[in-house]
Structures are given as C-alpha cells and as structure tokens.
Amino acid sequence: MSEDDFEFENEVRRIARLMWPSTEFQGALMEDGRERDALFESDEFINIIECTTSRSKAKAEEDCKKIDQLIKKKTAKYPEKFIRGWFITKHEPTADQRTVASKYHNKIIICGFDQFRSKLIDGRQYLSCRNQYPFGSVRDPESGSYKYDLKYTPLDIFDDDGNSFAVHELSNLLNAGQRIILVGDYGAGKSSTAREIFRTLEKKFFEGKNNRFPIMLNLRDHHGQVEPVEAITRHARQIGFKDTDSLVRAWRGGFISLIIDGFDEIASAGWAAKTSTLRKLRFRSMELIRAFIRETPEGVGILVTGRTNFFDNPRELREALGIQQSALLLELKEFNSKQVREFFNNLGWDDDSVPEWLPTRPLLLAYLAANNLLAKTLENGFASGPAIGWHELLKRVCEREASMEFGPDALTIRQLIEHLASIAKNSVDGLGPITPDQIIDAFREVCGYTPDDKGSVLIQRLPGLGSSQNEDGSRVFVDKDFAEAAFSGVLFKYIVDPYTSKLQPEFWVSSIKPLGSDITALRCRTEGIITGQIIAALVHSLRSERCGVLSASIVMVAKQYKVSSFGESKLFIKDALLDEFNIDDPNIDFHQIEFQESVFSSVEIASDLPIEYWPIFRNCYFGKIQGRTGIKDIPSEKFITCSIDEFEETAKTTQAILSLSLPLSTKVLITILKKLYAQSGSGRKESALYRGLDSRAQELVPEIIQLIKREGFAVKLQQNGDIWLPSRNGEIRRRALKILSSPTTSKDTIIIQSHNIE
C-alpha cells in the first residue's frame, strides 16, 4: 500500500468516527482472513467501508464484492440491525465504478471523498445560511441593515515589526493552521476585514482549493457562554442551520477555519463596578475564547478580532485570550489618502481632493457617505464642513453603540462620552488619561445607576477611547477631533444653562480647540442661542475661581459665533491655556477682554486688525506669535510683561513675500499657499486670503484662487461664509511646502501658470 493510500484511508476512518461517534474506537480489522478498510458497528447499525485512490473498474469490482460478502454475513448474524456498505473513491467516481456499484441494488453507496465528507457537514448549506446573517458590526450606516455589500477597500495590516499582510495572505495563513489576533481602533474596519477573509476562504472552498470552510461567530451573540459546543450550537440556530450537531463535529474534526469577531463585546457575569477587578473581569470575559483556542484541533486556523483599547497592553491580551507566542498579533490601520480615494471610487465617485478635516476611519467615512455629507464632493466641494460633519458623526456613532444592546440609549451614550471628554480636559493635551474609577463614576452620574454586566462592556469599549500607557486600566481619547466633538457638547450645555451646571472646570488645563468651538457655535445657531446668552455664560464662568480654561473656551465660541462685542465691563480671564488663538476678524472687538497669567501655544494677529480691537495680555506666555516679526511689531499697551519664545520668521511674512523678485501674481499665489499650508488652523475664510495685500494684489486673488482650486491645492467649503480647506493629498501638501521653502527657484507647474495671470 502506498503512503497516499494509507493517508487516504486514515482520513476516511477519521471522518467516519466523527459521523458515528458511538463507534469512535473502531476502524480497520481482519474479517475472514481478509483486511477490511473499516467496519463501524453499534447497537443499531453496521457500516462497512472500502476506500480506494484507484479509478479502475477492476478495483471497484473487487472492493464491492468484499463489501457484499461481509454484508451477507452480518445480516445473517444481526438481522435486526441496519447494515450499509460504502465504497469511497478519492476522486469523483467514474462511470464504470458507478455501474459496478449499481449492481448491488442500493446495498452499497458509492461516493467520492468530498461527497462522503459532506455527510459529516454540508459546508455549502452552512455558508448559504451564514451569508444571510450579520457579520459583526458591519451595517449599512443609513438603514442599519446587515446586508451592506459596499466593495471592500483593502486596509493596511501590520505586525510589530512593520511587516504588512493582505487579506489573501491572512486567508492562506488561516488555512495553513495559523492563529491570528487582529486588533484595531473603533471603526477601523475589523468586522469588514474579517468578513472579507471569510469570503476569501469561502470562495476557495467552493472552488475546491480548500478542504476547510470558514465559520464566523459574532461574540456579541454569546454573552455568558463559556463552552465552545454551546456557542457553536447557538450560532447554528441563529443563522438557521438545522444540523447543529454536524457543525460541532466539523469543528472538532478540523474541517473548518474559525473566525471569532469582537472579543471586546462579551459581558461577564458578576460585574461589581470595582476597578481593582477590571483586569480579572476582562480575563474572565475571555473564557469562551480561551476554550475555543484550547479545544480547537491543532492545525486549524483561528482569527480573533477586537478593539485595540480593550486590554491595557499586548501581554494582557495574550494572557487573557490564552494565545501562544507563535500567534500573529496584527493591527489594522486607518485609511491613508489613497485608500480614501479608493473608498470614494467604490461609492461611484471620483474624488482626488479630500479636505484635511475628513476622518480616515472606514466606519466614520461610511457614516458621512450614508448621511449624504459627501455626496456633492466633486461638484461643489464639501457643502458641509468639519463642524456639521463631526456633530453628525458623533450622533451616529452613539446610535451605533446603542444598537449593540448594551443598555443605554444613543443620547445617554453621547452624554457619557461628553462627560468623559470634560474629564480629559484635566490633561494638557485634552485626551486623558481617564482612570477606571472616573469612568465608572461618569457612568453612574450620567445613567443614574452603577454599570451592570452589559454596562461594563460598554464602558470598556467606548468609541474613541484607547488604552493609556499606564498599567491601571486608564483610557485616553485616541482621536483629537473626536475628543473635541465630544467636549463641544459639554460647553454647549454650559452656555445654555451655566447656573445649574455640575462641571468641575477648575481642574481643566486644556481649553477648547478650533473644531470644538466651531461645533459649539454651530449648535448655538441651530438651537437659536442669542449673543446675550453666550456673554452671560462667560460672565458667570468668571465668578468662579480657577475657571480660566472654561472662560477662554467660551471666548473661542463667541469668536466663532461672531459676537461683535463683549459688553461694557472689563472681563479678566486668568490661568487659561490655549493651543491657538487667532485675532483675525476686524468685526470682533476684543478690547474688553484681558488675559492674565495665561499660556498660548500660538497666536495669530491679522496685519490689518485695528489695535484698539486687540485684547490685553498681562503676564502671559506665548510659544509663537504669527503675523508679527518682533517685539517692536506689537504694542506694549496690549502685551504687558509677557514672555514670547518666537515670532514668525521675517522671510515668511506676507510683507516679505511681496518683496520677492517675482511677478505679482506669483507672490499672491505664494501668500495664499502660506495661509493654507504654513499657518495654524485647518482652513481659511476667503476674506482672510485678501488680508495683507494692497488693492492691486487683491484684484488678482479671485483668479489665483481658481488656479489653486483647479490644481487641487484647496477645496471650497460653504459654511457661514466661504472657507477654503487645504488638500489632504500627501503629494499636493509636499508640493505646497516645497514651494514655500524655495519660492524664487521653484519650477512647480502651478508657479509657472501663475506667471501668466495679470
């Protein structure tokens, strides 16, 4: 007997034992002095098997005769038992082989190996049922339907050494028995990637390239389960696959590749809201996964996915999942610029200029697309901007979390995230860390009760939060724009009603960023908040000690809201910390504002702003002042005993650019590129692009703007006045910065085209 024959017979016997588990210790034997490939006998049936790799008619005649003779002998001895013969070929039986078997009048079943294996489990039927059931969190962001088949946009997947992996490579590794952990941030596309791997394996199974078919479990469906058999049985019932036992046998037999999606979505019973038990809670929650990894046969590939922020570090992740060091730990990255364009192309759009503010997480992009916030990208630029987009995104994100059935509704989840964003303001960067105790207290404050089992899952997987570097289970906001969108809700509520607020702004050390102030101002307009209410909230904030950050944040909102005046009385803001503060609107009078002992990372002062409109800065520190070239360029009555690290380099000022030996049109182009790409902020009002230019230069601005738009350097945003946003395209950005670094020697095509504008 050849080695190929021997391995084939062993595999047939292995499948037979799984099909008839009560005979698991039976197999080949000698009967009447002749070797029989297999005989499986129980109290009720007898199955006699002969199998062959040969395709010859003679071999079929020999084996079928052996089976028939043994059937007759066993029938005489056990007339009450059901007896059946099996003639199994490695390949599809030939016509001659079928003819031989047909002579025995259904006493002998002839079938190929694949057909015999399907008696154990009908993989095709399982896959048909599985495709009618949700794949993790993959949903149509508009309707909520799980039948969402937008073409998959490949994402970057890396290991710790920087090696990249494509979906087809991961599919091959799984089929070869590799164990893989795939982590990613909220909305990074973990479930859609897992589904794509599933479909790749499914296709190979249907094409006959794989003997295994994929099983994909959504762990959110298995709260409280710790036994793999129970989980597989529930999974089979949920998808409508009737033969649950066969699916269990297929798993135990190693005929599947296992995908387990969402380790961060399992609740563990016994949640006691004690932070000291959080690590133990996470470990206990992973009991089902550990059992799967322990009991799944060697050589069977397993893919487990979940959020990066669920565990404190990779070591805890491996220990909790019970995964070996040989398992691949991979991380899913967000879209890059190229992938964003591909995503748009899959939607039927052809966008080559995506604004800088647009989020790069697949889920968030999908929300934008579904809400028609991107629909007019090509024709009109982004008709809605960062404030509208992020405000709607946060709403949608919370609705998605609420749909996971973890307890609180969408509004409550948003309030919880906003509350945590206000706590994160206790840090310099406004991102955290936020301790487990603070998270639990925030849940109790917002929801009115201590988190239960499902609430514990929610607070450990809150969108936008990731693990800090601490070992105490602390979390941080992983996206600064997400944090600002959340914090804007806190500030908005304060402006609406500052008198009953329970905020603790005296601990804040980071004020609102431009995006946050834009969103807050947007909500004020939407809700009909009048100027007087904003000023009243500012005045009220100043009555409390150590609330300078809160007060400065309200000033930022007032500026965005275009509050023309801050009243008749002097307003003193002390101990504020602002990343950037732009004094660039000649219609806003800041002269009643005095900042004291405050810190500003960057301040930009428009060259044409009347000095009498400037606020006063007393004993303040500035990292950089833009729009001014030195201490002699700022009025001493406005900057009193202040410390300034640096001013904008003379060579980069508008006046310096206008003094270059270049055509006036080219100097206007460089000035506008500087405002878009070299100064703080993510966009510029169109009126700001005219500032600092004399009347002759201003006449050229409209045509220069059209050139910049035509060449893809900026897109126009219609939102409370025209705003121009720089391109997010990496190559365009590099070109712009290169032009600014050497304007007189640049040979860029946009520079050459500008020479012809008069």
Side-chain angles (χ1 to χ4, degrees), residues 121 211-215 247 250-258 296 300-301:
I121 173 69
N211 291 328
R212 294 179 176 138
F213 64 91
I215 289 179
L247 194 60
W251 165 64
R252 290 212 181 276
F255 295 111
I256 57 97
S257 293
L258 182 61
T296 298
V300 173

Side-chain angles (χ1 to χ4, degrees), residues 687-716:
S687 58
L689 303 183
Y690 287 81
R691 293 195 186 120
L693 303 175
D694 60 26
S695 58
R696 174 68 187 102
Q698 288 183 355
E699 292 175 2
L700 300 175
V701 169
E703 199 167 347
I704 293 296
I705 289 177
Q706 291 307 309
L707 172 62
I708 288 173
K709 177 183 178 182
R710 188 168 61 249
E711 291 297 304
F713 280 79
V715 290
K716 191 175 186 179

Side-chain angles (χ1 to χ4, degrees), residues 118 181 246 255 269 315-316 338 367 379 406 467 545 592 611 613-614 654 671 675 679 716:
S118 71
I181 308 169
S246 71
F255 295 111
R315 184 182 63 190
E316 184 196 353
K338 180 180 178 181
Y367 281 143
E379 296 85 358
F406 289 138
S467 297
E545 293 185 5
Q592 294 288 30
I611 292 177
Y613 282 10
W614 294 22
T654 298
T671 299
K675 291 179 178 180
Q679 296 182 193
K716 191 175 186 179

Side-chain angles (χ1 to χ4, degrees), residues 181-404:
I181 308 169
L182 178 64
V183 299
D185 287 333
Y186 170 80
K190 298 180 297 297
S191 290
S192 59
T193 299
R195 182 179 70 168
E196 192 66 15
I197 292 171
F198 176 94
R199 289 179 170 176
T200 302
L201 291 169
E202 175 187 42
K203 181 180 179 182
K204 290 181 178 180
F205 176 77
F206 281 136
E207 292 175 346
K209 296 178 181 178
N210 277 358
N211 291 328
R212 294 179 176 138
F213 64 91
I215 289 179
M216 181 168 168
L217 275 65
N218 305 330
L219 283 178
R220 72 180 61 173
D221 295 336
H222 301 281
H223 289 291
Q225 289 192 308
V226 296
E227 293 292 338
V229 172
E230 293 178 358
I232 293 174
T233 301
R234 179 187 290 182
H235 171 69
R237 289 199 303 268
Q238 285 174 323
I239 68 173
F241 183 68
K242 296 181 179 180
D243 194 355
T244 58
D245 290 343
S246 71
L247 194 60
V248 173
R249 291 196 298 269
W251 165 64
R252 290 212 181 276
F255 295 111
I256 57 97
S257 293
L258 182 61
I259 301 174
I260 304 175
D261 183 52
F263 62 64
D264 53 305
E265 297 182 13
I266 304 180
S268 174
W271 167 252
K274 295 178 181 178
T275 58
S276 61
T277 67
L278 275 176
R279 188 178 291 249
K280 294 179 181 178
L281 172 69
R282 289 195 291 266
F283 185 86
R284 190 167 65 239
S285 296
M286 299 300 109
E287 188 171 351
L288 176 60
I289 299 178
R290 288 195 301 275
F292 262 119
I293 291 172
R294 184 174 59 249
E295 297 180 28
T296 298
E298 288 294 326
V300 173
I302 302 177
L303 170 67
V304 185
T305 76
R307 289 191 189 176
T308 309
N309 65 349
F310 191 78
F311 295 102
D312 286 342
N313 51 57
R315 184 182 63 190
E316 184 196 353
L317 182 152
R318 287 184 180 273
E319 290 175 354
L321 299 186
I323 205 87
Q324 303 92 338
Q325 285 298 121
S326 60
L328 274 177
L329 178 55
L330 306 177
E331 184 172 2
L332 192 68
K333 302 296 185 181
E334 299 177 22
F335 280 150
N336 56 36
S337 296
K338 180 180 178 181
Q339 290 161 341
V340 169
R341 290 195 297 273
E342 183 175 345
F343 177 85
F344 286 156
N345 292 336
N346 290 339
L347 289 171
W349 302 340
D350 183 21
D351 179 70
D352 290 322
S353 181
V354 183
E356 198 67 40
W357 71 267
L358 193 69
T360 57
R361 297 189 181 183
L363 172 66
L364 301 187
L365 275 179
Y367 281 143
L368 278 175
N371 284 282
N372 209 29
L373 293 174
L374 305 178
K376 298 182 179 180
T377 301
L378 294 180
E379 296 85 358
N380 303 317
F382 280 78
S384 58
I388 296 174
W390 275 103
H391 177 52
E392 183 65 20
L393 277 176
L394 189 54
K395 172 187 173 184
R396 283 288 186 160
V397 163
C398 295
E399 288 174 351
R400 177 179 184 268
E401 288 301 306
S403 72
M404 304 289 188

Side-chain angles (χ1 to χ4, degrees), residues 127 147 172 194 254 258 321 423 500 698 715:
L127 293 171
K147 294 183 178 180
N172 291 338
L258 182 61
L321 299 186
I423 297 174
T500 61
Q698 288 183 355
V715 290

